[in-house]
Amino acid sequence: MRRDRFVWCGVMFYAILIALMCFSPQSTTGLLEVSTPGIQRFGRLLLLLTPFNSIVNLTQVKSVGQLIWVFLQNVMNVFLLFPLMLQLLILFPNLRTVKKVLSLGFLLSLGIELTQLILDLLIDANRVFEVDDLWTNTLGSYLALVTYRFFSKKFLK
């Protein structure tokens, strides 16, 4: 019971972090002047609808710094939902199937992306709806299941 309360606190804390990371307005100026290739603009909406955009538009990357930025963005997207999903797997035994984890990971990712579109319509948050985020976040959810299963077998024998 005490463990569950601790994990629930972790879920709430990480959900707040996700909201801050994904929904707060993004600055148009930053330390690195990196523009993501392939972005399409529809009024205030920014969309990146090219699947595997990082690979498809790799030739548009102009520097090593930009290449590192693109790589890190993809890695961060894979692990965005990982901690949340890992905690949910601890709390909900009926979630521990590949189908349920992939479905929930995809739906959470889709919810994040659609909320970013709505925020851009309402307050011009300068967020980008990215198709690749859907599969990278879902992959991270699956990796959380693999990690959970590994540690469950290792430590709960």
Side-chain angles (χ1 to χ4, degrees):
M1 188 66 158
R2 188 175 196 159
R3 179 200 70 167
D4 286 356
R5 191 177 313 164
F6 178 75
V7 176
W8 269 113
C9 288
V11 167
M12 298 307 293
F13 177 73
Y14 196 73
I16 291 168
L17 289 179
I18 287 175
L20 289 172
M21 285 186 291
C22 296
F23 304 141
S24 58
Q26 209 168 353
S27 173
T28 55
T29 61
L31 296 175
L32 295 172
E33 290 300 322
V34 178
S35 62
T36 305
I39 290 181
Q40 299 169 342
R41 183 178 289 274
F42 298 95
R44 290 190 337 193
L45 300 180
L46 301 171
L47 292 96
L48 191 49
L49 302 174
T50 308
F52 303 102
N53 184 63
S54 299
I55 296 168
V56 170
N57 288 311
L58 193 60
T59 57
Q60 294 182 33
V61 173
K62 297 178 175 85
S63 69
V64 173
Q66 229 182 1
L67 181 63
I68 292 169
W69 177 257
V70 168
F71 175 75
L72 286 177
Q73 273 188 314
N74 285 301
V75 170
M76 288 187 298
N77 277 319
V78 168
F79 290 103
L80 177 70
L81 295 181
F82 181 92
L84 179 66
M85 190 62 70
L86 194 56
Q87 293 175 93
L88 293 175
L89 289 166
I90 292 167
L91 291 170
F92 300 105
N94 63 346
L95 182 61
R96 298 173 191 157
T97 68
V98 172
K99 183 178 180 180
K100 288 180 182 179
V101 164
L102 291 178
S103 297
L104 181 58
F106 179 80
L107 289 173
L108 286 170
S109 182
L110 183 61
I112 290 169
E113 295 300 314
L114 291 175
T115 302
Q116 288 178 339
L117 281 178
I118 292 167
L119 283 172
D120 272 342
L121 285 172
L122 296 174
I123 63 168
D124 196 14
N126 195 37
R127 305 302 302 196
V128 180
F129 178 100
E130 294 187 45
V131 169
D132 283 349
D133 287 359
L134 298 174
W135 74 264
T136 53
N137 294 162
T138 304
L139 174 61
S141 297
Y142 175 73
L143 292 175
L145 177 63
V146 170
T147 302
Y148 177 84
R149 287 179 174 173
F150 173 79
F151 282 106
S152 291
K153 287 179 184 175
K154 190 122 178 118
F155 295 109
L156 297 179
K157 285 184 178 179

